[in-house]
Amino acid sequence: MSNLARNGMSRRHFMSHMAGASSMVIPSLTMGQTLQDNAEDLKRRRKSAILLWMGGGPSTMDIWDLKPGAPTGGPFKPIATSGNAQISEHMPLMAKQMHNMAIVRSMSTREADHGRGRYYMHTGYVPNPNIEHPSYGAVLSNQLIDQRPELEIPPFVAVGGGSVGPGFLGMSWAPFTVSSTGQVRNLQMGLEDTRLYQRMYALDLIEKGFINQRRGSAATDHQKILKKTLNLMTSEQMEAFKVASEPDDVKERYGNTNFGRGCLMARRLVEIGVPFIEVGLGGWDNHSNIHTTLRDQKLPELDQAMSALVEDLEQRGLLEDTAIVWMGEFSRTPRINGNAGRDHWARSWSVVVGGAGMNGVIAVGETNSDGTRVETDPYTSQDVMASVCKALGISLQTTFTSNNGRPMKIANSGKVIKELFS
Amino acid sequence: MKRYSKMLCGKFALTAAVLIITVIGVAVDAFAQAASTSDSGIPEVKFINQQIRQQWADYQIKPSMKATDGEWVRRVYLDIIGRVPTVEELQAYTSDRDREKKVKLVQSLLHDDKYTEEYAKNWTTIWTNVLIGRSGGTERNSLTNREGLQKFLRDSFARNKYYNEMVYELVTATGSNSPGQENFNGAVNFLTMKLEENATLATAQTSRIFLGLQVQCTQCHNHPFNEWKQQKFWEMNAFFRQTRALRRFTPGTRDVSFVELINQDFAGEGLTQTPEKADIYYELRNGVTRVAYPVFVDGTKIDPSGYVEDVIRRTELGKLITESEYMDKMIVNRIWSHFMGYGFTKPIDDMGPHNPATHPELVSYLGAQFRQKNYDLKELISWIALSEAYSLSSRTNSTNETIDDPVLGETPKFSRFYLRQMRAEELYESLVTATQAANGKGSYEEQERRKGQWLSQFITAFGNDEGEEGTTFNGTIPQALMMFNGDLIKTASSKGNGSFLSNLANDAELNNTEKINHLFLAALSRKPSTNEIKVANQLLLARKGELVAALQDIWWAVLNSNEFILNH
């Protein structure tokens, strides 16, 4: 207690109060010499993943798996790419990056409702009233965090909305949601450090008193988030969010759009060591006028940002350690409805993956001539996750224990998509 | 019973005061023996207590101890009127020696004129979010007028409109959506933006919100695990097909000035249009086309004519919904969950046969009683708020720590009060009240606008046509940053002249310890512990005797604590 009255309470001392168990001590403060020594080594082999999340359910037969001959194939024409597969004519920039990316054209899932589909594609599990499963972002950042003891900012960053939470892994693994401007609100307290720590000391006393009354996990979670928040407020790594500081020509390449800025931020976050970044692009729920919307708005925005991201990661040598997954909650009906739109469809669709050693160039699997059926081995959310785990060097035997005591295998026993690794 | 019904008649409370006091005297004696637990002689409370206790016995659970007066009064203010109690309100309750003081307080919050506005505001906020989401009406050129809907809701809750009437009005509304327009009817804003694409969203949300039936999946195919079939979705959908939302533009521009919701003749979708039997079509997964006419979930058919003159389909739907037991169960589950933190099903608005309730008899009973009491929401609220389960501490004991923790995937047994975070709106209103802040000044509309602006920082859209959204006011870092450094907290802990803290510091009638007490009471409804006083005094020392600065530090710490933000 007497420490408080003296003005010069050290941050380290303060943190040891805040932290309780030593495992909770904030990495930046405890990073000893040994860790410093290992830092370079760790940096060399640290893996990351970026999820490009297409909220609303994009029509993949108008983007990645065109059916030009079919009666409901729509007006778009396929074009050749730097890989083996053809894609939509409205994706000309991505066409030059397809040597880096693979299209999985034999996705077949069952959830065609937004909420359920978003949950399933983010977790590998269907919604269950008795348990909340952690999203892939929470799982992967949890698995990859040990590779980066120097990381002071949250390991799971979501740019824009639509992500799924940490489930039973707890609030520590929740996505840190930011807007694509990179402006994190309320970062500055405007108090001298000493006074801040004295306030935190008082706060910690109240906080612990409440926790010790055994009122449940929400009380403890709150305390963990306080620590993370304090850590982030004082970290120079927050610079990574400032996309505005990039040169103008770089910003232009990504596009002057929220998704463009989000992809640029993802690159910067990978560079600083954040293991999982999710960038959301909504507006794919095209029940009406689908083709004009795709041609004039969605595809140009997607094409520009995604291609710039893949290109930058490749040029900087980061693509070999960074997995990229492009997907939405489902896709859209091969049939075109009365409003010139397409409705929800999960039975046959595509996702796009690449990086972290996964084969680019190829298209995996195929659908029939009008896109209504998968003709080859069907793949699922779990299979995509299993493949990403393999690419990132995470064992598929990894098991979590949910808080009701049930063991849960990572990727829900999905099977690796073998074509991505041969 | 008699006493209870008398107490509900708040409008003539003054004239009846003497009578009530007399009746209480008699009633307490009469019920003292009858009531095994403290159910205040209210049969619905007694039934709730019995049912909940039965499950404790089945699971061999000992319930948590009773919450302290301070904890209980804090939660009842938060849950009924949407903010924490003031120090004066808290002390008035804790110093009351009446053994029926709980009943007194609940009835006061529900029926006293001085709380009418806050009661209506709280439930308006809750229902606005249910009906149009947190961002409804803020979209560019939106067809929803948020203020219009809130006017309707505020009026409904201030007058304590019976729930069936409110639902009927929302489902059947016609008129203009914006206040000040001719033929204004704020209730239309529930549907104005849900009619595109053949009103599929109106179908799904009306079923979910008022009946607890999740039908959205069955738009395209039979539901994999509930008995809803695709046919039912489109039969329900047929009720909305006479409805149109007409955009009225500002002259000379393409800006929507307001929207008018009307019913008009519907000719059907068939090739040969037959309005006297207006049909709609949908496609099965195998490509076969089927026809549908308006049929309610229970199989009740209505006149298939599309002529408004013959039958107004939404009016029929309004009647069918308000006659349906699904409506009773859904509202019981919604209100229960609001007070208890968990409903009888999860999610609360998915009550189909595939998702059985944890306490089915209790749901049915409360639904039936609610119907019998004319769908009076204040009756339902008082039963739940006065129940034993609601009076328990959030502290666990060894018999309920794991088996009654829904966070661990267990079904809720209500043997403890479950911690839950305040809603962003509750935080806002609590701070305005606790600090008599300037945010609480100005007209109602100005206050609401300021609050809306502040709330918008937490909304994240999911990017689909169903308007789904999330909030970052969910216990994660953006929320913690706002509590640490945000303007709202800065204002609430300002030490400028005339501020809450400066007035407290200058209060000549209180000594320093009492001032510290005041801060803890205002935020946490309890006095500080010895250790907390000790740290507060050390802060005073660290601030070199500048009292208001030390109070600022303490207030900041109190507001940032788990104990403050978690309703406990």
Side-chain angles (χ1 to χ4, degrees), chain A residues 1-2 4-5 7 55-56 110 112-116 118 129-130 132 154 161-163 171 174-177 184-189 195-196 198-203 205-207 210-211 213-219 222 225-226 228-230 232-233 282-285 287-288 329 335 339 344 347 403-404, chain B residues 71 197 216-217 220-221 224-225 283 285 346 355 393-398 401 407-409 411 416 419 457 460-466 468 472 474-478 480-482 484-487 490 520 524 526 531-532 535 538-539 541-544 549 552-553 556-558 560-563 565-566 568:
Chain A
M1 284 293 180
S2 60
L4 184 57
N7 252 357
R110 296 172 59 95
D113 164 65
H114 291 294
R116 295 181 61 89
R118 183 173 60 243
N130 296 325
E132 279 180 43
S163 189
M171 289 307 280
F176 177 49
T177 306
V184 178
R185 282 169 180 261
N186 305 317
L187 211 47
Q188 303 305 325
M189 183 172 274
R195 192 165 170 203
L196 168 59
Q198 287 165 342
R199 282 185 174 188
M200 291 300 290
Y201 188 91
L203 168 55
L205 186 74
I206 304 171
E207 196 85 3
F210 193 68
I211 289 170
Q213 291 163 347
R214 290 172 51 186
R215 294 176 191 259
S217 54
H222 184 271
I225 292 297
L226 285 184
K228 285 177 178 286
T229 304
L230 186 67
L232 168 146
M233 275 168 59
W284 299 98
D285 197 13
H287 289 284
S288 54
E329 56 262 44
R335 172 181 169 276
N339 297 319
H344 302 178
R347 199 155 38 151
N403 41 15
N404 62 1
Chain B
E71 288 167 345
E197 287 153 13
Q216 62 271 27
C217 304
C220 310
H221 56 85
F225 47 75
E283 196 180 85
R285 275 192 149 188
K346 190 181 171 194
N355 194 19
S393 171
S394 55
R395 299 185 190 217
T396 57
N397 62 41
S398 56
E401 187 164 20
V407 177
L408 303 184
T411 54
R416 55 192 280 208
L419 292 185
Q457 67 179 297
T460 56
F462 287 177
N464 60 49
D465 279 6
E466 291 172 17
E468 287 180 285
T472 55
N474 59 353
T476 58
I477 292 171
L481 281 170
M482 186 279 296
F484 270 24
N485 308 323
D487 284 344
K490 282 210 173 98
F520 276 79
L524 307 177
R526 68 162 172 91
N531 276 343
E532 285 162 344
V535 168
Q538 287 174 335
L539 283 167
L541 212 60
R543 297 286 76 78
K544 303 189 170 58
Q552 215 177 11
D553 293 340
W556 183 93
V558 167
N560 269 287
S561 68
N562 44 12
E563 188 172 352
I565 201 71
L566 296 172
H568 57 279

Side-chain angles (χ1 to χ4, degrees), chain A residues 58-115:
Chain A
S59 172
T60 55
M61 73 178 283
D62 291 307
I63 312 173
W64 308 112
D65 186 14
L66 277 67
K67 302 290 173 188
T72 55
F76 297 169
K77 297 191 171 44
I79 55 171
T81 70
S82 62
N84 291 343
Q86 295 191 319
I87 63 173
S88 168
E89 59 182 324
H90 300 296
M91 297 286 284
L93 298 171
M94 266 315 289
K96 295 180 192 159
Q97 296 301 326
M98 291 311 287
H99 57 285
N100 287 318
M101 305 299 289
I103 306 170
V104 181
R105 283 178 169 163
S106 48
M107 289 296 288
S108 186
T109 57
R110 296 172 59 95
E111 301 299 335
D113 164 65
H114 291 294

